[in-house]
C-alpha cells in the first residue's frame, strides 16, 4: 500500500466548528481509505445481492473483493444498454439496483458523440451533497474572509425529458439544483450567492443569465468570488455582459426590470433588490463602453479573490482568456465529478491549473484502476483485466477509472484517464489527463482530445507576437480531398486592434 506523500500534514486550522468537522471527516476517510473501500463494496454487494444483473455471476452472497473481481466483468456503457433501455421503457423490477431508479442522469455526450443515460437512486443526492459540503471548508483554509461577502455564480438548469417509462432524464447539475437539497439548503455564511434560486431555476437561458448578471452587478461590492461550472460558462457570461450591458444599465438607472424578463417568479424576487441607482449605472456604463475589456472582472467586481471554474482537460484552452478578463486572478478547480458518480475534491484549490490534482474520496463509490498504456488496444477476451485497488496505484502512472456504484454500475469504465500525482494520507491524488475518446477520425487515423488541444496550443503560440489569444475552437474532418485533413476554426481575442494577425 502506498502511503503519505504530498499532503501528509492534517488540514488545519479550520475557520469554524462546522469546518473542523468537515476537515476531520476528510482526514479520517482518507487515512482509512482501504478500509472505507472494503466497507463500500460490501454495502453495495449486500444490498444488491438479488438484483437481476448480478445473479448470473453467482456471487452466493459474497461481498469480498477477490470474489467480486474474479466473477464480475469490466464493462462499458454499451454492455449495459439493454438493461438501461428496459428501465427507461418502464421495467421497475430490480434490474441493476435494489433501490428504485429515481431518474436518469444524462452525460454531455463528449465521450462518443452521443448522450448516455446513467441510472441513479434517491440517496445519491445525499452523497453528492456530502461532497459539496466539503468544498468550502477546504477553500477557507486558503482564502480567509469568504463569509464576509457573496459568490456570483452563473448556474443554470438545462432541458429535461422523460423516458417512455416516465423517468426523468436530465443533467446531474439540473437534478441537483431542482432538488430540495439545493432549494431549501440551510443558511451558510460561506455559501451565499447573489443569484436568487428563482433566477437559477428558470429554464429560459436568456432570462436566467440576464437576471443573474443583474443581481451580480447590483451587489458588485459584495462579490468575493465569481464562478461557473466550466471556464467556458464564465466566458459566456462575460460575452453576455458585452452584448447586453446597455439594457442592464438602463434597468439599474431606472429601477425597472427589462420587459424581456417575463418569468413572474424572477420579476418578483428582482423587484426586492432593484432600486434606481444612477451612480452605479454610470459606473457600469463607463467601464463597459470602453473598447479595452482587459481586467473587466476586477474593474466591476473589485473585491473578487478568485474564479471558481473547471479549467482542467479541454477547459484548459480558456485559461489565457480568463486571465485577460480577470487580470490574472487565481483559478480554483474544486471538485471532480461526472454523471456516473462524484469522485473527489481538490485539497489545494488555489494551485496553478496545470498542477490541479483531485483527491478521490473513498466513501463515494468503489474505485478500481485499469493501467493505461498509451497506444494500447485496451481490454480483450484474451487479456483479462488486471485492475488496481484505490490505495495501490503508483505515483506517475496513468490509469483508466473503473467504478462500482450504489446505483447499479458494476466495474464500469468511466473513460477518464488519470495520472497519479501523490497521496493524501492513503487516498491517491490524480491529475485529469483526458477523456478516453475519439474526437476526429479520417480512415484509420484517430485523434483524441489531448492531441487536438496540444496542436491548437502549439499553433496558437504564433499569435502571441500579435498580442492575440484563442478564445474558442471547433474542428471537423474534411475527407473531400486526398489525403483527408482536419479543419480547425478559431475564435480569436485581439487585445490590440492595431496589431491584429488578420492584417
Amino acid at each position: 500500500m502506498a502511503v503519505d506523500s504530498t499532503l501528509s500534514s492534517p488540514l488545519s486550522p479550520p475557520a469554524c466548528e462546522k469546518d473542523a468537522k468537515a476537515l476531520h471527516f476528510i482526514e479520517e476517510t482518507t487515512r482509512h481509505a482501504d478500509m472505507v473501500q472494503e466497507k463500500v463494496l460490501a454495502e453495495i454487494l449486500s444490498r444488491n445481492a438479488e438484483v437481476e444483473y448480478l445473479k448470473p455471476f453467482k456471487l452466493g452472497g459474497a461481498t469480498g473483493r477477490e470474489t467480486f473481481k474474479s466473477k464480475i466483468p469490466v464493462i462499458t456503457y454499451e454492455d449495459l444498454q439493454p438493461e438501461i433501455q428496459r428501465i427507461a421503457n418502464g421495467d421497475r423490477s430490480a434490474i441493476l439496483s435494489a433501490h428504485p431508479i429515481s431518474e436518469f442522469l444524462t452525460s454531455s455526450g463528449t465521450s462518443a458523440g452521443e448522450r448516455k443515460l446513467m441510472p441513479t437512486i434517491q440517496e445519491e443526492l445525499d452523497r453528492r451533497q456530502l461532497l459539496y459540503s466539503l468544498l468550502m471548508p477546504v477553500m477557507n483554509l486558503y482564502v480567509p474572509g469568504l463569509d464576509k461577502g457573496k459568490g456570483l455564480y452563473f448556474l443554470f438548469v438545462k432541458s429535461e425529458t422523460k423516458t417512455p417509462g416516465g423517468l426523468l432524464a436530465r443533467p446531474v447539475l439540473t437534478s441537483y439544483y431542482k432538488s430540495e437539497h439545493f432549494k431549501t439548503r440551510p443558511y451558510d455564511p460561506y455559501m451565499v450567492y447573489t443569484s436568487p434560486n428563482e433566477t437559477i431555476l428558470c429554464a429560459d437561458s436568456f432570462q436566467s443569465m440576464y437576471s443573474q448578471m443583474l443581481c451580480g452587478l447590483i451587489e458588485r461590492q459584495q462579490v468575493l468570488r465569481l464562478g461557473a461550472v466550466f471556464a467556458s460558462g464564465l466566458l459566456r457570461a462575460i460575452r453576455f455582459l458585452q452584448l447586453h450591458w446597455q439594457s442592464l444599465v438602463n434597468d439599474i438607472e431606472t429601477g425597472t426590470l427589462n420587459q424581456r424578463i417575463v418569468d413572474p417568479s424572477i420579476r418578483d424576487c428582482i423587484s426586492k433588490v432593484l432600486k434606481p441607482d444612477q451612480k452605479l449605472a454610470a459606473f457600469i456604463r463607463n467601464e463597459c463602453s470602453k473598447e479595452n475589456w482587459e481586467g473587466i472582472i476586477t474593474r466591476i467586481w473589485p473585491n473578487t479573490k478568485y474564479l471558481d471554474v473547471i479549467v482542467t482537460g479541454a477547459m484548459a484552452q480558456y485559461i489565457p482568456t480568463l486571465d485577460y478578463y480577470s487580470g490574472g486572478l487565481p483559478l480554483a478547480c474544486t471538485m471532480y465529478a461526472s454523471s456516473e458518480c462524484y469522485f473527489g475534491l481538490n485539497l489545494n484549490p488555489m494551485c496553478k491549473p496545470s498542477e490541479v490534482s483531485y483527491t478521490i474520496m473513498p466513501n463515494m463509490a468503489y474505485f478500481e484502476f485499469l493501467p493505461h498504456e498509451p497506444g494500447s488496444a485496451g481490454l480483450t477476451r484474451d487479456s483479462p483485466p488486471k485492475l488496481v485497488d484505490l490505495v495501490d496505484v503508483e505515483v506517475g502512472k496513468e490509469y483508466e477509472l473503473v467504478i462500482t456504484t450504489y446505483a447499479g454500475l458494476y466495474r464500469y469504465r468511466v473513460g477518464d484517464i488519470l495520472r497519479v500525482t501523490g497521496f493524501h494520507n492513503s487516498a491517491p491524488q490524480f491529475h485529469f489527463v483526458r477523456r478516453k475518446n475519439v474526437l476526429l477520425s479520417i480512415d484509420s487515423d484517430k485523434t483524441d482530445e489531448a492531441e487536438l488541444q496540444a496542436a491548437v496550443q502549439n499553433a496558437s503560440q504564433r499569435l502571441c507576437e500579435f498580442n492575440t489569444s484563442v478564445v474558442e475552437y471547433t474542428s471537423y474532418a474534411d475527407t473531400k480531398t486526398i489525403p483527408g485533413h482536419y479543419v480547425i476554426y478559431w475564435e480569436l481575442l485581439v487585445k490590440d486592434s492595431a496589431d491584429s494577425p488578420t492584417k
Side-chain angles (χ1 to χ4, degrees):
M1 180 189 302
V3 293
D4 308 357
S5 59
T6 56
L7 275 176
S8 56
S9 60
L11 298 170
S12 62
C16 59
E17 184 178 350
K18 183 180 178 182
D19 282 12
K21 292 180 180 179
L23 298 178
H24 177 73
F25 175 81
I26 294 172
E27 287 299 299
E28 285 299 299
T29 305
T30 57
R31 184 174 292 116
H32 305 290
D34 197 49
M35 184 175 68
V36 173
Q37 280 282 276
E38 190 172 18
K39 179 182 177 183
V40 166
L41 181 62
E43 287 178 348
I44 293 172
L45 295 180
S46 60
R47 70 157 60 174
N48 294 329
E50 298 301 317
V51 301
E52 182 181 318
Y53 178 83
L54 291 178
K55 281 185 177 179
F57 303 117
K58 296 180 171 56
L59 289 175
T63 59
R65 293 180 186 176
E66 295 311 313
T67 302
F68 171 74
K69 291 185 177 186
S70 65
K71 294 192 174 186
I72 306 300
V74 177
I75 60 169
T76 64
Y77 182 78
E78 289 68 28
D79 297 316
L80 272 188
Q81 274 189 314
E83 287 82 4
I84 288 174
Q85 197 58 55
R86 283 174 56 198
I87 299 170
N89 288 341
D91 191 332
R92 295 294 181 264
S93 56
I95 299 173
L96 294 175
S97 170
H99 287 214
I101 301 301
S102 56
E103 62 182 321
F104 285 107
L105 303 177
T106 56
S107 69
S108 61
T110 56
S111 55
E114 62 180 29
R115 190 180 72 158
K116 296 177 180 178
L117 298 176
M118 292 297 166
T120 192
I121 57 178
Q122 189 64 34
E123 74 171 45
E124 278 301 299
L125 278 167
D126 297 330
R127 246 179 295 280
R128 293 195 285 270
Q129 180 60 41
L130 173 61
L131 195 63
Y132 283 126
S133 73
L134 304 177
L135 301 182
M136 287 309 295
V138 172
M139 183 60 71
N140 292 337
L141 296 174
Y142 297 89
V143 184
L146 292 175
D147 58 331
K148 303 298 190 293
K150 299 183 178 183
L152 170 50
Y153 282 78
F154 296 98
L155 308 176
F156 304 93
V157 295
K158 295 186 178 180
S159 61
E160 55 187 42
T161 60
K162 282 194 173 181
T163 68
L167 287 176
L168 281 173
R170 55 190 179 180
V172 62
L173 289 176
T174 297
S175 170
Y176 175 67
Y177 298 148
K178 289 191 172 184
S179 73
E180 294 305 308
H181 288 71
F182 180 80
K183 292 190 293 184
T184 61
R185 62 195 184 277
Y187 173 77
D188 181 343
Y190 293 94
M191 289 290 288
V192 180
Y193 299 145
T194 58
S195 299
N197 284 356
E198 292 84 350
T199 65
I200 296 170
L201 295 173
C202 177
D204 183 277
S205 60
F206 175 84
Q207 294 186 68
S208 180
M209 177 72 86
Y210 190 97
S211 54
Q212 291 189 60
M213 182 64 76
L214 181 61
C215 291
L217 292 172
I218 292 171
E219 298 194 83
R220 75 180 195 91
Q221 295 287 359
Q222 292 292 311
V223 172
L224 300 182
R225 58 194 189 277
L226 261 75
V229 178
F230 295 105
S232 56
L234 186 53
L235 289 177
R236 278 197 297 272
I238 298 302
R239 180 58 178 164
F240 187 92
L241 181 59
Q242 288 179 315
L243 294 173
H244 300 286
W245 66 263
Q246 290 173 311
S247 296
L248 291 159
V249 164
N250 181 69
D251 290 1
I252 294 170
E253 194 167 44
T254 62
T256 58
L257 184 59
N258 191 312
Q259 291 303 307
R260 290 183 64 182
I261 310 304
V262 297
D263 187 304
S265 63
I266 289 183
R267 295 196 70 87
D268 181 59
C269 71
I270 295 293
S271 67
K272 298 173 183 176
V273 297
L274 179 59
K275 310 296 179 187
D277 191 335
Q278 296 186 359
K279 182 178 179 181
L280 176 59
F283 170 81
I284 297 171
R285 180 184 292 112
N286 180 62
E287 291 298 331
C288 293
S289 60
K290 295 175 181 177
E291 181 181 352
N292 183 1
W293 272 49
E294 185 171 4
I296 192 67
I297 289 175
T298 47
R299 281 154 48 187
I300 292 182
W301 296 282
N303 298 315
T304 307
K305 298 185 178 185
Y306 65 91
L307 304 182
D308 188 349
V309 287
I310 293 174
V311 290
T312 52
M315 292 294 121
Q317 63 178 292
Y318 300 111
I319 293 173
T321 309
L322 286 173
D323 287 343
Y324 174 78
Y325 285 127
S326 73
L329 282 174
L331 303 173
C333 296
T334 57
M335 68 182 294
Y336 172 37
S338 74
S339 52
E340 294 94 336
C341 177
Y342 278 27
F343 306 119
L345 63 163
N346 183 0
L347 296 182
N348 184 19
M350 301 302 281
C351 67
K352 296 178 181 179
S354 60
E355 298 172 356
V356 169
S357 289
Y358 300 102
T359 300
I360 298 292
M361 290 300 292
N363 61 305
M364 299 305 293
Y366 183 67
F367 300 103
E368 296 176 272
F369 299 87
L370 176 64
H372 175 69
E373 298 295 337
S376 65
L379 299 181
T380 68
R381 292 185 182 274
D382 297 326
S383 59
K386 296 180 180 179
L387 273 61
V388 178
D389 283 328
L390 179 69
V391 299
D392 294 327
V393 296
E394 298 180 40
V395 174
K397 290 192 175 181
E398 293 186 2
Y399 299 87
E400 181 181 351
L401 180 59
V402 178
I403 60 172
T404 297
T405 70
Y406 288 88
L409 299 178
Y410 305 95
R411 308 198 86 187
Y412 176 89
R413 298 175 67 175
V414 175
D416 289 0
I417 304 300
L418 309 174
R419 182 185 305 113
V420 186
T421 58
F423 283 77
H424 181 74
N425 295 319
S426 60
Q429 297 174 307
F430 293 92
H431 174 72
F432 179 87
V433 178
R434 62 181 176 87
R435 291 287 295 173
K436 186 178 182 181
N437 61 348
V438 176
L439 285 184
L440 299 172
S441 181
I442 299 176
D443 296 329
S444 61
D445 168 74
K446 290 179 173 61
T447 300
D448 64 32
E449 178 181 334
E451 292 169 332
L452 177 62
Q453 185 177 325
V456 171
Q457 288 178 331
N458 290 338
S460 65
Q461 293 299 314
R462 297 286 301 274
L463 297 173
C464 293
E465 59 186 281
F466 299 102
N467 205 19
T468 297
S469 62
V470 177
V471 175
E472 182 65 281
Y473 67 83
T474 188
S475 57
Y476 77 95
D478 186 348
T479 57
K480 293 180 181 179
T481 61
I482 300 176
H485 62 284
Y486 298 125
V487 178
I488 301 175
Y489 295 96
W490 287 358
E491 179 185 347
L492 303 179
L493 174 64
V494 181
K495 301 170 187 175
D496 183 359
S497 57
D499 189 24
S500 169
T502 59
K503 290 190 174 181

